[in-house]
Each structure stands twice: as C-alpha cells, then as structure tokens.
Amino acid sequence: YPLRRQRQMCIRDRDDFVKVKQTRFGTTPTGSNISLFSLDNGQGLTMAVTDFGATLCSLHFPDKAGHLDNIVLGYDSFEDLLADSNYFGATIGRYANRIANGQFEIDGKTFQLTQNEDANHLHGGEVGFNKKRWDILVANEDSITFHLSSAAGEQGYPGNLSVSLSYRLTAANELIIDYTAKTDAACPVNLTNHSYWNLAGSGDILAHRLTLECPRYLPVTEALLPTGEIASVANSAFDFISAATIGARINAVAGGYDHCFVRSDKVTGEPKLIARVEDPLSGRIMTMATTEPSIQFYTGNFLDNVQGADGNTYGKHSGFCLEAQHYPDSPNQPSFPNTLLRPDEVYKQTTIHRFSQAGES
C-alpha cells in the first residue's frame, strides 16, 4: 500500500514528538500505552486527541466574552473512554451508521458482519475503529496524523484496509479532518467523526439555532434504518433550510432527530457548506463544510446520566452530532450513492469545522 510505505517513512518513536504536548492517558487491557495529544492554533482554539480510536477528547474555544469552554462531550479518564458506548468524539469505521441485518453483497458474494445493534451492524461493529489503538504518522503543535491497518475479516469485512486520518487546526479557527483509505479487495467504506457538540459548554442544546443546506432527508423505520425513500424536508419538522432552534419541532419527531440529511447524491472534490449552528447565549458559531453528500443529525436522544468531563453529567439532548458521511445502509439500497471502495480507488474525505463568535465578519 502507498499508505503503508508512507507509514514506514514517517513514523517515529512516540517519545520523539517535541512540538506537541503528549501525556500518558492510560493502558489498554492488552497492555498498550495510550497517549493524549494537545494541539493549539495560537488563536484561542485548542484541542486534545488520543490515539485510542483517533478520538477527539476536547475542544476549547472562547465565547463572545472571551471565556473558554470545552464544547465537545467527553471524559476525563481513559477508563471512562474505554467503557464508552456513546462514541464520544470517536472515529467511526469501516462503516458509519447502520447496515441492515449486518449483510451486504459484492459481486454476487454475501458477507455477514457482526450484529451489534439487535440484528443490525452499527458504526463498524463490536470492535470498530473507535476501539482500536491507532499509530502516529506525524505530529506537531497544530496537527496530528494517525494510521490504522484493518485486516481482512475484521468484523466480517472483506479486504485489508489502510486508513490515514489527520486533525489540523488553522489560524482561521478551523478544525480540518482529512481521511484517506485504500483496500486490496472491494469493500464498503463510510468514515466519520462522532463528536457531540454543545456550543454553550453545558446544559442542553435545544436553543441552538441550526441551518442545514439539505433539501432532503431519509425517513427511517423504528430500527432507525432508512426506508429507501429520499423525502423533501419542505413543510416538515426536518426543514432547517432557514435557521430554526433544534428544540422548536423536536417533539414532532418520534424519539428526536437521528436522521440522515441529504445535500446531494454526489461526493464533491472540494468541501461545501452543509451546516451552521449558533448558540445565542455564548455567541459561539460553528459552520461545517464537507466533501460528503450528507450529514447525520443526532440530538443525543439516548444520553442518560452519563458522567462526563469536568464534572458534567450528560442527559438527554446534552449534545448534538453532525456526522459528515454517506447514506446509511447504502450497500443494500441500490438507489443510494455508492460506498464500495475497490483496489484501484482511493477513498478521500475532507470535513471542516470553523468556529467564530456572533458579530465577527
């Protein structure tokens, strides 16, 4: 693999990283040391990521008064992260979201994946990318690049998959996440970051104002699988074309929002705006641009008394997710955009989160 050769050239001993603050975070049950890396753009935007799950653990950004808050949900300890079932900040793969019955067919051959949500396969299975220790390729004060090799047969997937992921902070207060993947046998690939955001830093997110550049969405079954229909958001509780508070119509949606919103049916070469969120109280604003055709909007419907970072307790609607990705269950939905990666192809995704305060130009 080209990525494997890159890894051989670039990776250094973990103690050699002198430009990024590296601290011991914990030890896995198999004895692997896990580190936490702190990054800083020099403009007030800081973040911490760990090599366990290539997970975004914290992100601090000032409010309109200059007060810093952590605006992602997370944990203080590695032990809590290890036990996490909410995917706080995790990198999700090989396939984000759900695959019906954990099955799909490639070139006439049926593959059976692990079934970790009733009969369905969710977020890469019982041991997805969020439960793996990633290697470090490059690290400096404002960026870090991880690498993971996923062997053929893991969680039932075909092909050896090589994945590279970088987090980068810019002087424009952007968090840029780049993904690259290559396989030696055809397999579906759908990667995302599963951060829960709360721009206020605490409380619930129902007063946040959301805009989605998505004229369509995917209706779901009771099992949260897409029905196959691609519906218009017009005149419905799913219409965020014009800004609306998250809580304005949430009670009209059974269980709350956990739906794929569709901007396009095609991947774009350059990131395009897909979402904007503003917290009126703090004045913090986050915009998202991505090369992906859709975004999964989830409102933390299943959070229940989770003991999180900085003494916070996360309850229902304590955070929201905006997961840039392809449609769920695409391998079983012929009308959905293709997610099959073949050996002569390279998977690429770029997603950009930009942070600002109300009143900035």
Side-chain angles (χ1 to χ4, degrees), residues 42-94:
Q43 306 292 322
L45 180 63
T46 63
M47 63 183 291
V49 297
T50 177
D51 46 359
F52 184 79
T55 299
L56 174 59
C57 295
S58 67
L59 188 142
H60 288 78
F61 186 71
D63 65 10
K64 60 187 178 184
H67 180 74
L68 283 173
D69 286 303
N70 180 15
I71 59 174
V72 297
L73 275 57
Y75 301 102
D76 289 325
S77 73
F78 175 66
E79 290 73 23
D80 287 338
L81 178 61
L82 188 64
D84 171 65
S85 60
N86 296 294
Y87 304 94
F88 285 165
T91 297
I92 304 298
R94 293 187 187 188

Side-chain angles (χ1 to χ4, degrees), residues 300-316:
N301 311 316
F302 300 113
L303 296 178
D304 183 17
N305 199 36
V306 179
Q307 300 306 302
D310 305 316
N312 286 311
T313 299
Y314 306 135
K316 188 175 183 179

